[in-house]
Amino acid sequence: MKLDLNVQPLESWIKTGKEPLLIAGPCSAETEEQLVATAHLLAKTGRVSALRAGIWKPRTRPGEFEGIGSIGLQWLKRAKDETGLPTAVEVATAKHVDEALKAGVDILWVGARSTVNPFTVQEIADALKGVDVPVMVKNPVNPDLSLWIGALERINNAGITKLAAIHRGFSSHEKTAFRNEPMWDLAISLKTHAPQLPIICDPSHICGNRELIGYISQKALDLDMQGLMIESHIDPSVAWTDAKQQLTPSDLVEVIERLTLRKPEIKGAELQDILGGLRNQIDKIDDLVFQKMAERMKIVEKIGNYKKENGITILQVNRWDEILNKRTAFAKALNLSTEFAEKLLELIHSESIRKQTEIMNKGQEGQPHENLTHA
Ligand code: PEP
Ligand code: MN
């Protein structure tokens, strides 16, 4: 499914300059001095295309610093006047949109806690009607691609064509090295649905720490994301919000300079030939995989019919355990990761169960069709 988004290229609304495109600035504007001094240092690096700063902060718990509020808009204005950097702020209500636009903010973004709520996104979209301003939409806190797409559509439907998505990772019950799991497949999926939509990665909020920012930035560029938004503070150790994930402007430059830029398109006839040959091989193997899957499903159907005739349940846990154990051990011996093997088997198994459920229910139309899966 291709999305019908009417989007202008990134270059039409932000000076891309030296690659990668970089939006940087403190998590929060705290004081006029902190913001303006950070902006000067960032501008001096020659690497930054826009200055970000949160002035209305959506906090998980009450009582935490909830942003400096509207006064911060004047500080952003001063930072922009003195450095020439365009400015970007998070907006979460129609009032924020109006105030930010009146204060001459150049780019608006919708935060992860707002994207989860269609009422909030629609309120922002309504406030944007008839306005020509770039808007970036962060992914929702929870890993729900439709919610992210829905928010982009609402903003786009309001007439905003200078549109980008920001990938900032997703909440997960699993504790990992990251504050928010990258779940790259969701960002890749968005890209597949809307190839024309620029995606900017926010390694600060994915990592939750300084150390992994370079790693995530590199990965984002290797996945052909169009830019990075990284939190930078003149003195991260005393930052009022997100202290652990901000870099000083000079550390930021170091991280950026260590990144390798790779091209999405293939240059040179020889490389083209080599890659073309390898891709041919992959296509042939993929065809074989599907052929074998179809053969497997035919046998699954036979088993389904046999189970039906003999009154045997579809799922037999022991058999499933046996498949899982034997195959993952085999996969390991073949140098395939256990996680990959398990995921693949679960996908195949749930399709097999779906097929057998269909067979079991055939001829018993009045009954609800249960969709058993092993998610
Ligand atoms: C932020 O950018 O400072 C912020 C609050 O991010 P998010 O909405 O991704 O949590
Ligand atoms: Mn932050």
Side-chain angles (χ1 to χ4, degrees), residues 198-213:
I199 305 183
I200 289 167
C201 184
D202 173 346
S204 300
H205 289 88
I206 290 178
C207 298
N209 63 61
R210 276 179 275 287
E211 293 70 28
L212 291 170
I213 288 178

Side-chain angles (χ1 to χ4, degrees), residues 198-246:
I199 305 183
I200 289 167
C201 184
D202 173 346
S204 300
H205 289 88
I206 290 178
C207 298
N209 63 61
R210 276 179 275 287
E211 293 70 28
L212 291 170
I213 288 178
Y215 168 78
I216 290 293
S217 301
Q218 185 64 59
K219 179 121 187 195
L221 297 181
D222 289 343
L223 291 175
D224 196 25
M225 294 203 183
Q226 273 71 58
L228 303 168
M229 174 151 108
I230 299 180
E231 288 184 335
S232 178
H233 189 289
I234 189 163
D235 185 358
S237 67
V238 297
W240 298 2
T241 55
D242 290 351
K244 290 199 191 110
Q245 65 189 39
Q246 306 202 54

Side-chain angles (χ1 to χ4, degrees), residues 177-322:
F178 302 111
R179 175 180 174 191
N180 291 299
E181 273 303 295
M183 301 189 193
W184 297 103
D185 49 331
L186 286 179
I188 293 169
S189 204
L190 179 64
K191 208 175 176 53
T192 318
H193 286 306
Q196 75 281 29
L197 178 75
I199 305 183
I200 289 167
C201 184
D202 173 346
S204 300
H205 289 88
I206 290 178
C207 298
N209 63 61
R210 276 179 275 287
E211 293 70 28
L212 291 170
I213 288 178
Y215 168 78
I216 290 293
S217 301
Q218 185 64 59
K219 179 121 187 195
L221 297 181
D222 289 343
L223 291 175
D224 196 25
M225 294 203 183
Q226 273 71 58
L228 303 168
M229 174 151 108
I230 299 180
E231 288 184 335
S232 178
H233 189 289
I234 189 163
D235 185 358
S237 67
V238 297
W240 298 2
T241 55
D242 290 351
K244 290 199 191 110
Q245 65 189 39
Q246 306 202 54
L247 294 167
T248 61
S250 66
D251 286 348
L252 176 63
V253 174
E254 252 184 57
V255 167
I256 296 299
E257 277 176 355
R258 261 188 256 127
L259 298 173
T260 308
L261 292 164
R262 302 180 172 99
K263 293 266 168 284
E265 75 270 22
I266 311 157
K267 291 228 170 77
E270 197 185 337
L271 202 58
Q272 192 81 266
D273 278 357
I274 295 170
L275 266 185
L278 291 172
R279 283 177 175 162
N280 259 335
Q281 288 181 37
I282 281 191
D283 288 350
K284 281 196 190 117
I285 293 173
D286 283 351
D287 282 350
L288 278 177
V289 170
F290 276 104
Q291 228 168 293
K292 289 291 164 198
M293 279 303 138
E295 278 175 31
R296 190 189 195 279
M297 288 305 162
K298 282 267 175 305
I299 299 172
V300 163
E301 277 173 32
K302 274 190 197 160
I303 296 179
N305 282 318
Y306 181 80
K307 283 180 181 166
K308 184 177 184 180
E309 281 157 22
N310 293 283
I312 302 170
T313 56
I314 295 174
L315 178 69
Q316 278 133 347
V317 177
N318 290 349
R319 169 67 181 145
W320 171 232
D321 276 349
E322 181 195 320

Side-chain angles (χ1 to χ4, degrees), residues 56 58 160 183 228 239 336 339:
W56 299 290
I160 298 295
M183 301 189 193
L228 303 168
L336 296 168
E339 195 199 348

